[in-house]
Amino acid sequence: MTKKAISVLSGGLDSVVATSVYAKEYDIHAITFDYGQKAAEQEIKVTAKICELMGFEHTVIKLPWLAKISNSSLNSNENIPQVTNKDLDDLEKCRESASSVWVPGRNVVFTAIATSFAESIGAEIIIVGWDKEEASTFPDNSKEFLNAFNVLLDIGSPDDIEIKAPAIDFDKWEIVKLGYDVGAPMELSYSCYSGENKHCGVCESCMRRKRAFIQAGINDLTEYSK
């Protein structure tokens, strides 16, 4: 393969499916970020497995400064919010949860670094797992953010690079169906905020994952504590 791509691969469901969409078409170099998040060890472990399985080059990038300036419950001593299935359709409660786990400028930073990698290897695309369901509370997952960053690349990069987000118009259950269709190793993905060996089953990310597999009618091989 001559076409190259950079994948921002957290190891979560969305990024694993998004990357798998392009796995046969591109030579992919995946980058995983350690910004002091509770799940860093698990995310690095699963992304290494996925990259080995799929033949991707893999680089882990440490961002200790981001951990230092963040007061997010993802990378501080604050407790991660727990939600119920009913809460997932309550926009106000989801906004509260999103506010707790928000890491300052995370996707701006990640995508900018991915751009550096893309320019350095002559990659044509940057693959991200941004999606419609999470965009309602995370603006850096939205189509508007995607389009704006692509305009930025058009202006600011001498190379022809495009950010690709194949799930940008999808809810989680549609992402699961897409993953099934493209043969993504969803069973290896890790979505939990807690960082435990098993998914906690009660953080918002786990709850959305569980619901998505049920709505998609696809067997969920994830091990949950609750």
Side-chain angles (χ1 to χ4, degrees):
M1 291 182 289
T2 56
K3 294 195 295 184
K4 295 181 179 180
I6 295 295
S7 166
V8 180
L9 185 66
S10 70
L13 180 67
D14 306 333
S15 67
V16 170
V17 171
T19 304
S20 297
V21 168
Y22 297 98
K24 294 180 180 177
E25 190 179 352
Y26 287 85
D27 180 8
I28 295 175
H29 183 163
I31 55 177
T32 303
F33 293 96
D34 178 354
Y35 51 99
Q37 69 273 35
K38 292 179 172 78
E41 184 179 347
Q42 295 295 336
E43 290 178 7
I44 292 167
K45 182 168 70 174
V46 301
T47 50
K49 285 183 181 177
I50 291 165
C51 289
E52 183 179 6
L53 174 69
M54 303 190 77
F56 303 155
E57 185 175 353
H58 186 220
T59 298
V60 176
I61 301 171
K62 293 182 179 289
L63 301 174
W65 60 268
L66 186 53
K68 287 181 180 179
I69 67 170
S70 172
N71 59 1
S72 169
S73 59
L74 291 189
N75 54 4
S76 73
N77 292 326
E78 294 294 320
N79 291 327
I80 292 169
Q82 298 182 3
V83 300
T84 66
N85 208 45
K86 184 179 178 181
D87 291 338
L88 297 180
D89 295 316
D90 185 326
L91 185 57
E92 191 57 38
K93 291 201 173 186
C94 288
R95 281 176 175 162
E96 290 177 13
S97 175
S99 177
S100 172
V101 300
W102 179 265
V103 177
R106 180 172 58 175
N107 277 350
V108 175
V109 172
F110 291 178
T111 313
I113 292 173
T115 300
S116 293
F117 271 75
E119 288 186 0
S120 73
I121 68 168
E124 297 178 13
I125 65 170
I126 296 168
I127 307 163
V128 296
W130 308 339
D131 64 271
K132 183 177 75 174
E133 183 167 324
E134 292 192 351
S136 62
T137 51
F138 293 95
D140 60 356
N141 272 253
S142 67
K143 182 177 276 190
E144 291 81 6
F145 183 75
L146 170 67
N147 292 340
F149 218 113
N150 272 324
V151 170
L152 180 67
L153 290 181
D154 283 342
I155 297 169
S157 175
D159 297 343
D160 186 11
I161 302 169
E162 182 180 4
I163 304 167
K164 294 284 193 178
I168 198 67
D169 292 316
F170 287 1
D171 287 328
K172 290 282 185 179
W173 71 269
E174 294 173 296
I175 295 173
V176 171
K177 283 205 163 188
L178 175 63
Y180 180 82
D181 289 341
V182 301
M186 294 186 289
E187 71 283 357
L188 295 179
S189 64
Y190 185 89
S191 300
C192 185
Y193 290 151
S194 73
E196 301 298 327
N197 287 330
K198 291 184 180 181
H199 285 64
C200 73
V202 291
C203 70
E204 184 175 343
S205 187
C206 278
M207 291 298 291
R208 290 191 182 279
R209 181 186 178 105
K210 286 197 287 189
R211 184 175 73 169
F213 276 96
I214 292 169
Q215 290 178 333
I218 292 173
N219 188 31
D220 185 2
L221 299 177
T222 312
E223 290 188 29
Y224 300 98
S225 296
K226 295 181 182 180

